[in-house]
């Protein structure tokens, strides 16, 4: 039995559902839900191949040591990029420094602000943050931010990119 099959069996048992009692309609319903789950899993893996590690809400709280309210406030203040999808929320690991506890990359707020109105789900902004930009000498915005004097160049590039998306 695969690990995934065991998870399904364990969940059915935990919910008090006997798999032997499922009718064909139940199985069709479960199949549709599983297809949707697998589709979302494939999409998540594709995005992670491009963006890097995506953190769950719990993982982000553990990484930062923040409360739920502090994380929500950081998202509202554009200090943290929350990615919204059908499977819930995710957070870009690359948006945090390597300190313990982790903090948002300095200058990220200025890079995220222009995207707020044009990309409410966050995926275009995340892709832009990890993609080489000609305006930044071929470096990604996240690679560029730590450099001295780079915050304004990254913010200007973000304003230009977000304006192109809005047009």
């Amino acid at each position: 039995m695969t690990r995934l099959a065991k998870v399904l069996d364990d969940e059915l048992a935990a919910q008090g559902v006997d798999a032997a009692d499922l009718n064909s309609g139940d199985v069709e319903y479960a199949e549709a839900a599983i297809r949707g789950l697998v589709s979302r899993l494939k999409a998540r893996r594709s995005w992670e191949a491009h963006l890097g590690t995506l953190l769950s809400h719990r993982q982000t709280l553990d990484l930062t040591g923040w409360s739920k309210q502090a994380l929500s406030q950081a998202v509202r203040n554009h200090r943290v990029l929350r990615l919204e999808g059908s499977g819930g929320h995710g957070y870009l690991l690359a948006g945090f420094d390597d300190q313990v506890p982790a903090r948002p990359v300095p200058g990220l707020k200025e890079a995220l602000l222009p995207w707020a109105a044009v990309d409410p789900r966050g995926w275009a902004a995340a892709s832009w943050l990890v993609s080489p930009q000609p305006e930044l000498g071929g470096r990604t915005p996240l690679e560029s931010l730590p450099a001295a004097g780079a915050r304004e160049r990254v913010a200007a590039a973000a304003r230009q990119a977000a304006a192109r998306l809005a047009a």
Side-chain angles (χ1 to χ4, degrees), residues 20-37:
D21 292 338
L22 296 176
N23 63 39
S24 62
D26 295 334
V27 172
E28 287 177 24
Y29 183 79
E31 284 176 345
I34 290 168
R35 276 195 222 64
L37 174 66

Side-chain angles (χ1 to χ4, degrees), residues 29-161:
Y29 183 79
E31 284 176 345
I34 290 168
R35 276 195 222 64
L37 174 66
V38 171
S39 178
R40 289 191 308 275
L41 176 62
K42 286 174 62 177
R44 179 180 177 270
R45 292 182 79 185
S46 293
W47 275 108
E48 276 198 333
H50 174 55
L51 301 175
T53 301
L54 299 177
L55 302 172
S56 68
H57 188 76
R58 168 63 26 215
Q59 290 171 317
T60 304
L61 294 175
D62 291 345
L63 180 74
T64 60
W66 290 345
S67 66
K68 291 178 183 179
Q69 294 80 9
L71 178 55
S72 292
Q73 186 66 39
V75 169
R76 278 193 302 279
N77 290 340
H78 309 290
R79 292 178 36 238
V80 171
L81 178 59
R82 178 170 51 206
L83 303 169
E84 297 182 17
S86 60
H89 303 302
Y91 302 86
L92 188 64
L93 175 61
F96 294 95
D97 64 20
D98 59 0
Q99 301 301 308
V100 178
R103 295 292 173 252
V105 170
L108 187 59
K109 178 178 182 171
E110 293 82 3
L112 292 177
L113 275 170
W115 292 98
V118 299
D119 183 32
R121 295 174 54 110
W123 296 97
S127 181
W128 178 82
L129 284 167
V130 301
S131 298
Q133 302 300 318
E135 304 93 329
L136 302 173
R139 296 183 63 160
T140 73
L142 285 173
E143 290 170 338
S144 299
L145 278 172
R151 282 188 189 184
E152 183 47 43
R153 284 193 319 276
V154 171
R159 288 189 296 272
Q160 292 170 351

Side-chain angles (χ1 to χ4, degrees), residues 5-23 25-27 29-30:
K6 178 158 178 24
V7 167
L8 178 58
D9 282 347
D10 290 349
E11 188 59 28
L12 287 170
Q15 297 291 329
V17 176
D18 185 349
D21 292 338
L22 296 176
N23 63 39
D26 295 334
V27 172
Y29 183 79

